[in-house]
Amino acid sequence: MTDSKYFSTQRKGEIYELKAELNSDKRERKKEALKKVIASMTVGKDVSQLFPDVINCMQIDNLELKKLVYLYLMNYAKTQPEMAILAVNTFAKDCNDPSPLIRALAVRTMGCIRVEKITEHLCEPLRKCLKDEDPYVRKTAAVCVAKLYDINQQLVFDQGFLDLLKDLLSDSNPMVVANAVAALSEISEQSPQIQVFDLNGPTVNKLLTALNECSEWGQVFILDTIANYPPKDDKDAQSICERITPRLAHANSAVVLSTVKVLMKFLELIDPNSEFVQNLYRKLAPPLVTLLSTEPEIQYVALRNINLIVQKRSDILKNEMKVFFVKYNDPIYVKLEKLDIMIRLTNSNNIAQVLAELKEYATEVDVDFVRKAVRAIGRCAIKVEPAAERCVNTLIDLIQTKVNYVVQEAIVVIKDIFRKYPNKYESIIAILCENLDSLDEPEARASMIWIVGEYAERIDNADELLEGFLDGFKDENNQVQLQLLTAIVKLFLKKPTETQELVTKVLTLVTQETDNPDLRDRGYIYWRLLSTDPKAAKEVVLAEKPLISEETDLLEPTLLDELICHIGSLASVYHKPPNTFVEGRFIMKKKLPFRTGIHHEYEDITTMQTNQQQQQQQVVISSNVGSLIDDFDILGPMSNTSSTTMNTFEHTQQQTSSAIPNLLDDELSSILGLDSNVGGHQTPMMNTNTSLPINRLTTSTGNDLDDLFGDINLHTGPSSISFSSPNTLVLPKEIWVSAQKGKGLEISGTFARRNNQIVMEMDFTNKALQSMNDFALQLNRNSFGLTPLQPLQILNPLFPNQTIPIQLILNANGPIMKMDPLTNLQIAIKNNIDIFYFNCIVPIHILFVHNGEIDKMTFLQTWQDIPENNEIKYQLQNINNLSIDDLQNKLRLNNIHTITRTIIEQKEMLYQTIKLTNGIFILIELKITPGNRTIAFSLKTKVPDVANLIIQAYELILSSN
Amino acid sequence: MIGGVFIYNHKGEVLISRVYRDDIGRNAVDAFRVNVIHARQQSRFPVVNIARTSFFYTKRSNIWLCAVAKQNINAAMVFEFLGKMIDIMQSYFGKISEENIKNNFVLIYELLDEILDFGYPQNSDTGVLKSFITQQGVRPITREEQTNVTSAVTGQIGWRREGIKYRRNELFLDVIESVNLLMSQQGQVLSTHVAGRVVMKSYLSGMPECKFGINDKITVDNRTKNPLDSTNINNNSTTNGSTNPSTTTTKTAIAIDDCQFHQCVKLSKFESEHSISFIPPDGEFELMRYRTTKDISLPFRVIPLVREIGRTKMEVKVVVKSNFKPTLIGQKIEIRIPTPSNTCDVQLLCMKGKAKYKSSDNAIVWKMKRMGGMKESQLSAEIELLPNDKKKWNRPPISMNFEVPFAPSGFKVRYLKVFEHKLNYSDSDTVKWVRYIGKSGLYETRS
């Protein structure tokens, strides 16, 4: 007869039979009855009424039976606390049993009985067991402290169990150490406010020693704990890394992943260019790859973690593309993850292979997988420019298979490809349009509509196509509706004559017949815009869009950093911070250590506190950013806060849209933002984000917002900006536009270089009798690509006889057109009265950048490389009779760097370099004869056009005070 | 840590339910049944989060094993633990089946009590567990024995107990490699690797210290002239009396990409001196796992030729070539050629072995008991299709299974030295056996 009989269904009256059997004298019958009880318990039947009878069986000195009784007890003690006390005596007796197995069993079970009265009686035996001679008992007792803490924290403190537990960290038996570590970690995680577990150097040392000897699980506990230790400095971090790297060869994947976690965390503290880091990278790759030949479930955990590692440090696995190729019978979750990692590792070297693979995948059967493969092809096109055409052709092939979901997915990615490579692949629009009718998913429909609207001028029947969509407007998904509205407005702006009717129809529809406020408001704004100023509408709606970034689906960097601290754990599998899926308890947010701050961090309490404050601030910032992005994702368009912030974001990274004048009010620009959102703008947002932490690191004080938007604040308002650092020579302001020419507006200005930025400083004076407003400024294309970093913003009207100072920061990466003279700049300024055009000269020394220093050897090399006939000689006059040191300083302030200084034939030789904003280097040799005011000046550059300007600059600087 | 462990049958009935933590209620058992086992759509991930409770699961035949947790616990560890638990159960009572689990539920509870404490995995070495969890009823255990047990469970050498004695000291080494290949239609190797295992069966007395040497490039380079070499090991292969062919080639050392060791191997010593030394568990265990990707000699090559003739007919020709020494013989050769799901008739012709069309598998299965080295064989098939099937056939790869008596990676055991200081036997008294087996892993050629 086998034990499976116990699982058979219960008959009526069986409980009474069991009761009788439990009280039987015969051991065999008792045992049979107990097994039946446990089996019933397992399948969920209530056998709690047998409690007293089971307790009676406890006295038996049969270990196997005893364990069954204990199992029963653990399950039902809570429901019968009064009866459970009956067991206390037996426990107490067992804790003194000569057999260590029985002692351990008793203390183990007692800890699992969550009845207060029993817990009280647990203390004494537990104390004894923590000091038991047998390691098996001690290791069980160590865990029992954690159990007790879960039931009654105060008791653990009062009884001093924490200290006893800490003593076990120095136990001779590694398994005891491991369990003690596990228990202490758990306790300190539950109560982060109390310094339960002081992880310091000596403790970590002990743990590292135990690491070599304890069981695989013990190694996991220890490594997970070490991951929480903040190393003192880079040397400390490095030495721990060295001691744990051998664990990468362990057969247990949990040991490997926990080792990887510690390494990834501590790597933050070590100079990334050091040989050590490079070596470690080499050592990390093979074990990670090996994890892919484990059980699929572990592979999945490993792949989710590799996904994080690749995002954080892509170098580690850059040569391992092939191992992520999908196998035919991989489980779907492994396939999807591998695909994700493949895309992240794609580059121009392996694109051919990857593309061939993706093509295979796109013909598989699993719909999700195929979709992801198609999307991946599009991502490759965006990421690897040389392969874009091949990718597009592949997508076209796939579209021609007419498999519905493949077509839809392809259209969604093609929209992104259009965003990345505007005006390149429009020839395929015809093929896309053929599939218009088969699109039934909102994202695909919205993408197609976007394409039609964006390229309306090239699609002859764009109006018919859009009109077709409009018929079922009310049944469309919100995303599609918004997109359709925008597309029709775009169409109207491009072909106003034929589409007037259509645009009226859609505007009426969205403003009068829809309940969706986003849609309605957007409709109103378009309407108003179109009716007041069609020209402005054109500039807003058809504005050039910023390019989309190469990388997609990246995790937000602060989240990524947090997840790196959780490698191997559930958080790393879900790619979510623990507080999103763990209940109740306060969870400490884990952070990667950072290299710069490390020297101060543990010096004294005050610095520690300030550090903590800073860290808290960071958390706030990151969560802010996170939620903004979330809003953006979910609500997208009109959520006011998110869209205005978006604007700010856009401005910070603005490079393309200098064309947008000051016409935009907030709402309008939010439309712009939205517009680009649908076009796949989501990613650049993430990118701006990536740059934020750097800001955060460099600026350590001030409130969060200042930190985040510091540079923006600097140039948003026209007033009250002060620059403190010593600056380059600034010429006095001269009048650029006279009041006469400017119809009452007088503009005087100059250029300066402040904080390594080019600043155009102007005074606007109103000499007319009426106030002026609606200022806007535009620079014509010029030799050095100067464009305003931000549009001119003058918030208040300029009243008669008022003067306001304006500072406008320029950057030098705009479109270039050669001017004559080179430094000529054409400016247009508009106000409510008129538009004024004028010229001014940008002094060339404003364009000297601060990092123009090169080393001697390069100087020599470059000097020799430039042909003799490019050399220009001149006699400079040292009017102020400056000493050589003063002269050097004066030049240095203006970013003219002295590379070296020597004396040849009693003449002082200075060798200097200048680098212009556009990267041109100019090399200069000054020969100074003591006592003689004439300096022999000689200059070499690959672009001799600038030579005269440089000479002027020298004269200007030397003659200045 | 792990809050509970449940085992279900395929119907979703609970067979074992052991809860370790208070935060896991009885409803967790039902939540998993309802949301995963009975879910209308098969869950696509091995970890699911239901109502802030995470369920880690795996399936063996039709038994579900599930670990539950409410905290952010080490996921790799949970899956490793589930794997270990399966190993332990298998070594106690064989196959994981509903019947076996029901028959051994008391034992399983006892094991679960021992290997997980408050959700923390404890010593889970089968050998040690078997020494004190016996289910033999009351076994008179002496005090001394008990201390032996506890020191084995907790000891530095948790995988071996003291006082083992054998009349004849003997050990067996099996080098088992599985060759994985993905080849394109054109015969281009897309990816290939060997996953190797060294399985050791040791019947040695006392606490022997072993030193293991292989022809790994780094190890070989490290000691160019080593007194220990392969001469003192009986290179007696038990299959077909063959030896590793790599002994005859000039290639002496291989590049191992990565290797992992049983916990008995002293990893720090491996890191510093590149020597593999250990005190082995008693009986069978996996000493080492390794992976190589370079210079793999692929034992077989499959050359497919698929022609679609109109919409209702296909011609498939498959050539298999063996690519190893003619004196060796490959065994258990099986080639699976997938056919479209709308296949209605297949005409087969093969030179060697037996081929059959299995409609249930949608594949032609071609079996050959053995095949010598440097041989070639061919199969041709005419497949008739039903015309109505609209769905495009996605041409799954042709897969192959085989077994060959050598290590395709070129892996070689150079020596295995045994030292036991307390007992009176020396390395030369130990009888050692080595065998090399090359098997197919995923050996696929795209058609």
Side-chain angles (χ1 to χ4, degrees):
Chain A
M1 201 60 173
T2 61
D3 281 357
S4 56
K5 64 174 185 284
Y6 302 115
F7 283 87
S8 57
T9 45
Q10 212 169 5
R11 283 166 287 116
K12 242 188 179 169
E14 195 178 20
I15 293 276
Y16 296 99
E17 265 174 48
L18 280 174
K19 216 177 176 82
E21 280 176 42
L22 283 171
N23 291 317
S24 150
D25 295 333
K26 291 204 178 103
R27 180 179 267 169
E28 270 315 297
R29 283 190 71 185
K30 258 188 182 172
K31 190 170 152 188
E32 290 296 295
L34 262 175
K35 283 187 180 179
K36 270 185 209 160
V37 172
I38 300 294
S40 307
M41 193 177 85
T42 300
V43 296
K45 282 176 207 153
D46 184 16
V47 282
S48 58
Q49 44 186 313
L50 294 171
F51 204 93
D53 312 284
V54 177
I55 295 276
N56 276 339
C57 303
M58 224 174 137
Q59 317 278 349
I60 302 175
D61 56 350
N62 175 333
L63 199 60
E64 188 196 351
L65 273 188
K66 201 169 212 115
K67 283 179 180 169
L68 290 181
V69 175
Y70 281 178
L71 190 63
Y72 180 93
L73 213 62
M74 285 187 268
N75 256 313
Y76 288 113
K78 240 162 109 186
T79 56
Q80 314 248 344
E82 296 304 317
M83 299 291 264
I85 299 166
L86 296 175
V88 165
N89 278 335
T90 322
F91 278 128
K93 207 180 105 212
D94 279 0
C95 284
N96 290 315
D97 196 277
S99 159
L101 292 174
I102 304 257
R103 292 202 295 277
L105 178 66
V107 80
R108 186 162 68 211
T109 313
M110 262 178 109
C112 293
I113 297 174
R114 304 172 66 91
V115 173
E116 211 172 308
K117 292 243 171 67
I118 294 216
T119 318
E120 283 168 20
H121 292 275
L122 175 62
C123 292
E124 274 327 296
L126 179 57
R127 191 187 315 283
K128 242 182 89 208
C129 287
L130 281 167
K131 293 177 182 161
D132 198 284
E133 53 173 18
D134 194 296
Y136 183 74
V137 181
R138 289 200 301 277
K139 71 121 189 164
T140 312
V143 175
C144 192
V145 177
K147 292 178 187 168
L148 185 61
Y149 193 82
D150 196 39
I151 304 168
N152 189 340
Q153 303 194 354
Q154 202 52 46
L155 205 60
V156 173
F157 293 120
D158 294 349
Q159 300 278 331
F161 283 137
L162 279 185
D163 292 326
L164 288 171
L165 196 54
K166 281 181 209 163
D167 291 344
L168 290 185
L169 288 180
S170 321
D171 200 283
S172 59
N173 185 298
M175 183 118 177
V176 177
V177 178
N179 276 2
V181 167
L184 278 170
S185 293
E186 176 159 351
I187 291 172
S188 67
E189 232 162 78
Q190 279 183 35
S191 317
Q193 69 282 8
I194 313 161
Q195 272 275 314
V196 180
F197 190 10
D198 182 25
L199 256 186
N200 52 26
T203 317
V204 170
N205 232 328
K206 271 182 225 158
L207 297 185
L208 285 168
T209 315
L211 185 65
N212 290 327
E213 288 158 1
C214 67
S215 77
E216 44 195 338
W217 313 116
Q219 296 187 18
V220 177
F221 308 152
I222 291 179
L223 287 164
D224 283 351
T225 304
I226 291 179
N228 294 328
Y229 165 71
K232 284 193 287 294
D233 49 34
D234 54 337
K235 287 209 186 75
D236 195 17
Q238 191 167 330
S239 94
I240 294 174
C241 287
E242 273 164 6
R243 286 181 73 178
I244 63 165
T245 10
R247 300 294 123 198
L248 290 172
H250 202 288
N252 187 318
S253 66
V255 176
V256 176
L257 274 176
S258 291
T259 310
V260 171
K261 163 163 59 189
V262 181
L263 294 176
M264 285 294 286
K265 235 182 137 176
F266 289 6
L267 264 176
E268 292 292 310
L269 296 165
I270 303 169
D271 176 13
N273 299 318
S274 65
E275 202 183 327
F276 177 79
V277 171
Q278 298 310 316
N279 271 331
L280 204 52
Y281 275 20
R282 266 197 297 281
K283 281 184 192 162
L284 269 167
L288 287 173
V289 172
T290 300
L291 291 176
L292 300 185
S293 35
T294 47
E295 299 285 313
E297 290 88 8
I298 294 173
Q299 273 189 59
Y300 176 68
V301 174
L303 284 165
R304 292 293 279 175
N305 281 290
I306 289 172
N307 200 331
L308 297 174
I309 292 165
V310 168
Q311 287 186 55
K312 183 75 191 164
R313 293 175 185 272
S314 58
D315 277 357
I316 294 179
L317 288 163
K318 65 180 174 205
N319 298 324
E320 304 289 347
M321 169 60 85
K322 274 191 175 180
V323 301
F324 297 103
F325 285 177
V326 169
K327 294 190 187 122
Y328 184 73
N329 43 2
D330 277 336
I332 182 67
Y333 50 82
V334 169
K335 283 185 176 174
L336 292 172
E337 278 311 305
K338 280 188 173 172
L339 192 51
D340 217 40
I341 295 166
M342 271 173 69
I343 300 308
R344 296 200 196 288
L345 293 176
T346 304
N347 56 36
S348 50
N349 297 330
N350 55 26
I351 181 77
Q353 273 183 322
V354 173
L355 205 56
E357 282 293 307
L358 292 176
K359 237 171 145 175
E360 288 279 332
Y361 304 163
T363 59
E364 287 231 21
V365 276
D366 189 286
V367 177
D368 282 350
F369 181 61
V370 172
R371 279 172 178 276
K372 199 159 185 172
V374 174
R375 209 166 265 231
I377 295 173
R379 276 163 72 181
C380 285
I382 291 165
K383 204 172 162 185
V384 187
E385 188 162 355
E389 188 156 349
R390 258 182 297 166
C391 296
V392 171
N393 289 337
T394 311
L395 287 171
I396 293 296
D397 288 349
L398 290 172
I399 287 178
Q400 260 137 10
T401 62
K402 302 276 176 196
V403 179
N404 191 274
Y405 54 86
V406 174
V407 174
Q408 311 214 33
E409 205 62 44
I411 286 182
V412 173
V413 287
I414 285 179
K415 168 212 61 186
D416 287 343
I417 294 175
F418 281 172
R419 279 296 309 283
K420 168 82 182 185
Y421 309 109
N423 307 318
K424 208 161 167 195
Y425 297 111
E426 281 68 29
S427 54
I428 64 172
I429 290 178
I431 304 169
L432 303 184
C433 288
E434 286 166 21
N435 294 287
L436 215 61
D437 300 330
S438 63
L439 307 180
D440 51 14
E441 291 162 19
E443 201 184 353
R445 285 175 85 84
S447 301
M448 193 61 218
I449 293 171
W450 181 86
I451 293 171
V452 174
E454 189 66 17
Y455 295 100
E457 68 271 31
R458 309 198 193 182
I459 307 171
D460 293 334
N461 60 342
D463 47 342
E464 284 169 37
L465 295 176
L466 293 177
E467 197 166 4
F469 280 105
L470 200 56
D471 290 341
F473 189 75
K474 283 182 196 162
D475 304 324
E476 293 285 4
N477 174 290
N478 187 235
Q479 183 189 6
V480 183
Q481 292 176 330
L482 285 165
Q483 202 46 57
L484 190 53
L485 168 62
T486 308
I488 292 179
V489 172
K490 278 185 194 164
L491 173 68
F492 171 71
L493 289 168
K494 289 175 178 175
K495 302 182 182 170
T497 45
E498 309 125 64
T499 55
Q500 189 124 27
E501 207 176 308
L502 188 61
V503 80
T504 324
K505 192 170 160 194
V506 74
L507 288 173
T508 322
L509 209 55
V510 299
T511 49
Q512 288 169 22
E513 293 181 39
T514 176
D515 301 330
N516 183 326
D518 285 352
L519 195 56
R520 196 185 53 218
D521 287 0
R522 198 198 282 198
Y524 275 129
I525 290 158
Y526 280 145
W527 203 328
R528 229 172 281 159
L529 201 54
L530 291 173
S531 54
T532 44
D533 189 352
K535 206 175 137 215
K538 211 166 186 163
E539 282 180 274
V540 171
V541 180
L542 303 180
E544 205 176 310
K545 278 162 279 296
L547 287 181
I548 62 170
S549 119
E550 293 174 354
E551 294 290 343
T552 38
D553 297 344
L554 287 179
L555 286 172
E556 200 262 319
T558 45
L559 174 62
L560 177 61
D561 284 358
E562 191 186 348
L563 293 181
I564 291 284
C565 304
H566 289 290
I567 283 179
S569 78
L570 264 179
S572 73
V573 175
Y574 294 145
H575 285 188
K576 285 177 183 164
N579 55 351
T580 56
F581 60 89
V582 171
E583 224 160 46
R585 300 191 184 112
F586 172 74
I587 299 150
M588 280 281 275
K589 205 163 180 152
K590 292 194 180 176
K591 282 176 290 280
L592 283 180
F594 37 70
R595 225 161 91 74
T596 42
I598 189 149
H599 303 296
H600 326 285
E601 215 160 357
Y602 295 94
E603 277 172 14
D604 61 326
I605 299 166
T606 46
T607 47
M608 234 171 90
Q609 280 169 340
T610 47
N611 265 338
Q612 270 169 3
Q613 276 167 2
Q614 277 172 26
Q615 283 172 354
Q616 273 163 5
Q617 276 173 11
Q618 279 162 25
V619 176
V620 174
I621 294 166
S622 65
S623 62
N624 258 343
V625 171
S627 68
L628 287 176
I629 301 284
D630 282 348
D631 284 349
F632 173 68
D633 277 341
I634 300 158
L635 304 169
M638 287 300 173
S639 152
N640 235 336
T641 46
S642 70
S643 48
T644 42
T645 326
M646 260 163 50
N647 266 333
T648 351
F649 276 135
E650 257 174 41
H651 289 314
T652 52
Q653 60 144 33
Q654 194 167 42
Q655 286 171 5
T656 42
S657 50
S658 59
I660 308 171
N662 194 19
L663 298 159
L664 305 175
D665 61 29
D666 272 355
E667 280 177 318
L668 290 187
S669 47
S670 76
I671 291 173
L672 245 190
L674 170 86
D675 202 20
S676 35
N677 164 30
V678 182
H681 183 48
Q682 197 168 343
T683 26
M685 306 293 309
M686 291 305 278
N687 260 6
T688 357
N689 240 335
T690 15
S691 67
L692 289 179
I694 303 162
N695 273 344
R696 262 194 356 248
L697 289 183
T698 46
T699 38
S700 55
T701 51
N703 69 37
D704 318 337
L705 276 174
D706 272 348
D707 277 2
L708 268 177
F709 303 118
D711 356 30
I712 301 160
N713 282 348
L714 281 180
H715 31 86
T716 40
S719 55
S720 75
I721 311 166
S722 63
F723 294 102
S724 54
S725 60
N727 282 311
T728 49
L729 170 65
V730 182
L731 298 176
K733 285 184 180 136
E734 53 181 87
I735 292 182
W736 284 347
V737 179
S738 66
Q740 194 185 2
K741 197 181 153 205
K743 298 187 179 166
L745 175 69
E746 186 185 81
I747 301 170
S748 59
T750 184
F751 292 89
R753 187 170 189 89
R754 303 193 193 272
N755 293 342
N756 299 319
Q757 281 179 309
I758 304 162
V759 186
M760 190 158 117
E761 300 182 331
M762 292 172 288
D763 285 335
F764 282 24
T765 311
N766 185 352
K767 298 201 166 163
L769 296 170
Q770 67 182 107
S771 60
M772 299 174 178
N773 48 31
D774 289 350
F775 285 98
L777 174 145
Q778 207 170 341
L779 302 184
N780 196 4
R781 286 190 290 173
N782 52 71
S783 323
F784 293 94
L786 297 177
T787 58
L789 192 64
Q790 287 231 297
L792 177 69
Q793 288 196 340
I794 300 173
L795 302 172
N796 303 317
L798 184 61
F799 295 109
N801 278 328
Q802 191 193 4
T803 299
I804 48 167
I806 309 285
Q807 286 185 315
L808 196 64
I809 295 188
L810 307 182
N811 64 19
N813 46 15
I816 290 170
M817 185 168 79
K818 195 171 173 186
M819 303 295 287
D820 191 27
L822 274 181
T823 45
N824 192 13
L825 183 64
Q826 296 180 335
I827 304 174
I829 286 191
K830 166 191 164 295
N831 63 8
N832 57 336
I833 297 169
D834 205 343
I835 302 175
F836 314 103
Y837 299 93
F838 58 93
N839 289 332
C840 62
I841 297 288
V842 182
I844 195 152
H845 69 267
I846 300 298
L847 304 171
F848 299 172
V849 296
H850 65 287
N851 56 355
E853 220 164 333
I854 56 178
D855 65 55
K856 282 186 211 170
M857 288 316 292
T858 329
F859 184 93
L860 202 65
Q861 193 64 45
T862 325
W863 186 271
Q864 282 164 356
D865 284 349
I866 298 173
E868 256 342 288
N869 51 4
N870 272 15
E871 183 169 356
I872 286 153
K873 296 197 169 171
Y874 187 75
Q875 300 288 324
L876 274 178
Q877 293 303 317
N878 188 353
I879 309 169
N880 293 347
N881 203 8
L882 295 165
S883 73
I884 293 178
D885 285 337
D886 288 347
L887 182 127
Q888 250 179 293
N889 285 339
K890 208 157 193 175
L891 292 170
R892 152 114 359 108
L893 272 182
N894 288 286
N895 292 334
I896 300 174
H897 306 275
T898 304
I899 303 304
T900 182
R901 173 179 166 182
T902 53
I903 298 174
I904 297 174
E905 298 168 353
Q906 295 169 348
K907 287 178 180 167
E908 288 273 355
M909 307 289 284
L910 292 182
Y911 294 95
Q912 300 179 313
T913 55
I914 295 169
K915 187 184 170 191
L916 296 181
T917 46
N918 53 7
I920 295 176
F921 271 100
I922 297 136
L923 311 182
I924 297 126
E925 182 198 60
L926 298 181
K927 203 186 279 176
I928 303 164
T929 320
N932 189 340
R933 286 200 178 190
T934 310
I935 301 170
F937 174 93
S938 122
L939 168 154
K940 267 192 172 185
T941 170
K942 287 179 179 156
V943 192
D945 302 17
V946 296
N948 280 327
L949 295 166
I950 302 290
I951 293 169
Q952 283 169 21
Y954 263 83
E955 284 186 321
L956 203 62
I957 294 164
L958 292 186
S959 61
S960 68
N961 292 317
Chain B
M1 278 303 116
I2 298 175
V5 174
F6 308 135
I7 302 179
Y8 303 83
N9 65 10
H10 67 288
K11 285 185 267 180
E13 291 163 355
V14 204
L15 304 179
I16 297 288
S17 134
R18 175 71 163 92
V19 174
Y20 294 92
R21 298 238 167 185
D22 202 38
D23 53 6
I24 302 299
R26 180 84 205 174
N27 52 3
V29 186
D30 303 324
F32 183 74
R33 181 191 11 250
V34 173
N35 289 291
V36 178
I37 302 180
H38 290 168
R40 205 173 302 147
Q41 266 197 325
Q42 205 191 333
S43 169
R44 301 177 68 100
F45 302 100
V47 191
V48 287
N49 192 299
I50 305 162
R52 297 204 153 208
T53 309
S54 296
F55 296 81
F56 306 74
Y57 66 94
T58 177
K59 230 181 143 184
R60 284 295 181 284
S61 58
N62 50 16
I63 296 295
W64 299 78
L65 273 100
C66 170
V68 207
K70 279 229 157 180
Q71 289 155 304
N72 177 35
I73 68 172
N74 190 320
M77 188 176 81
V78 178
F79 282 122
E80 281 284 348
F81 173 79
L82 286 178
K84 220 14 155 299
M85 197 175 128
I86 290 167
D87 290 348
I88 295 171
M89 291 197 291
Q90 275 171 342
S91 100
Y92 265 99
F93 52 75
K95 199 171 164 272
I96 306 285
S97 66
E98 180 172 354
E99 196 58 26
N100 277 344
I101 288 175
K102 280 185 171 173
N103 280 337
N104 292 285
F105 81 98
V106 178
L107 166 74
I108 296 174
Y109 275 124
E110 199 177 342
L111 285 170
L112 281 174
D113 195 44
E114 189 56 46
I115 56 180
L116 267 186
D117 190 3
F118 203 40
Y120 288 106
Q122 303 293 304
N123 194 323
S124 49
D125 189 272
T126 329
V128 174
L129 287 172
K130 277 188 172 168
S131 69
F132 73 104
I133 295 183
T134 54
Q135 288 288 298
Q136 296 299 311
V138 223
R139 200 168 65 114
I141 300 186
T142 64
R143 219 177 148 178
E144 196 182 337
E145 267 178 314
Q146 274 177 346
T147 349
N148 278 346
V149 165
T150 57
S151 74
V153 177
T154 61
Q156 296 189 3
I157 303 159
W159 51 86
R160 189 181 180 95
R161 60 191 169 87
E162 300 237 13
I164 298 170
K165 278 205 182 85
Y166 287 101
R167 210 160 52 83
R168 181 171 135 109
N169 289 303
E170 202 171 16
L171 64 86
F172 300 85
L173 279 175
D174 277 346
V175 175
I176 305 163
E177 296 198 336
S178 56
V179 200
N180 295 276
L181 168 76
L182 183 61
M183 196 177 252
S184 72
Q185 298 96 305
Q186 293 78 25
Q188 186 195 2
V189 176
L190 294 174
S191 72
T192 174
H193 76 269
V194 164
R197 302 189 299 140
V198 180
V199 176
M200 180 167 171
K201 255 183 252 171
S202 74
Y203 304 106
L204 301 170
S205 315
M207 288 298 230
E209 276 203 52
C210 299
K211 253 191 170 180
F212 181 50
I214 54 174
N215 63 334
D216 172 23
K217 243 178 198 158
I218 310 167
T219 325
V220 173
D221 292 350
N222 269 9
R223 22 179 129 160
T224 38
K225 293 264 186 294
N226 199 302
L228 306 162
D229 63 22
S230 55
T231 49
N232 57 7
I233 196 149
N234 301 344
N235 238 328
N236 296 350
S237 183
T238 44
T239 51
N240 305 326
S242 60
T243 51
N244 194 348
S246 67
T247 47
T248 53
T249 61
T250 46
K251 191 181 74 178
T252 47
I254 61 162
I256 289 183
D257 287 32
D258 187 32
C259 47
Q260 295 178 307
F261 298 101
H262 185 266
Q263 57 168 325
C264 66
V265 175
K266 292 167 187 149
L267 291 177
S268 37
K269 218 163 185 178
F270 178 70
E271 175 83 4
S272 56
E273 302 162 27
H274 247 277
S275 75
I276 304 167
S277 56
F278 56 96
I279 297 172
D282 194 38
E284 185 172 330
F285 71 104
E286 188 182 284
L287 173 64
M288 131 177 219
R289 257 188 267 161
Y290 60 91
R291 186 168 49 83
T292 72
T293 46
K294 289 196 188 72
D295 302 326
I296 294 166
S297 64
L298 296 168
F300 291 95
R301 165 130 194 243
V302 175
I303 305 155
L305 196 75
V306 181
R307 275 203 319 166
E308 291 183 34
I309 306 167
R311 295 188 57 202
T312 57
K313 209 170 164 190
M314 263 173 65
E315 249 184 38
V316 179
K317 216 183 237 177
V318 175
V319 180
V320 181
K321 287 184 180 171
S322 60
N323 188 25
F324 44 87
K325 280 206 305 189
T327 49
L328 302 180
I329 289 174
Q331 285 184 305
K332 299 179 189 167
I333 297 153
E334 184 187 293
I335 297 153
R336 274 182 174 260
I337 305 149
T339 55
S341 55
N342 55 335
T343 301
C344 60
D345 190 33
V346 178
Q347 300 288 325
L348 288 164
L349 191 75
C350 61
M351 286 158 55
K352 208 167 171 288
K354 279 181 187 159
K356 247 191 207 163
Y357 166 62
K358 283 195 176 170
S359 56
S360 56
D361 298 4
N362 275 327
I364 298 166
V365 181
W366 178 20
K367 285 184 181 172
M368 283 176 277
K369 281 208 177 102
R370 38 177 49 204
M371 186 171 179
M374 307 310 277
K375 292 258 166 51
E376 184 176 318
S377 191
Q378 189 182 344
L379 169 140
S380 45
E382 268 182 35
I383 301 170
E384 278 185 50
L385 306 171
L386 292 170
N388 59 351
D389 208 6
K390 268 191 220 153
K391 213 171 156 193
K392 210 177 143 260
W393 181 47
N394 66 343
R395 290 201 183 186
I398 296 178
S399 59
M400 180 169 187
N401 287 316
F402 56 79
E403 214 178 280
V404 288
F406 62 88
S409 72
F411 185 96
K412 231 182 79 192
V413 176
R414 290 177 55 234
Y415 57 82
L416 199 147
K417 290 285 236 174
V418 181
F419 309 94
E420 163 61 61
H421 303 296
K422 285 185 201 150
L423 298 176
N424 205 9
Y425 73 96
S426 72
D427 181 55
S428 48
D429 297 334
T430 318
V431 187
K432 304 166 192 167
W433 305 85
V434 183
R435 171 167 69 163
Y436 297 91
I437 306 167
K439 284 184 181 169
S440 51
L442 265 185
Y443 205 82
E444 296 181 333
T445 308
R446 286 182 180 160
S447 58

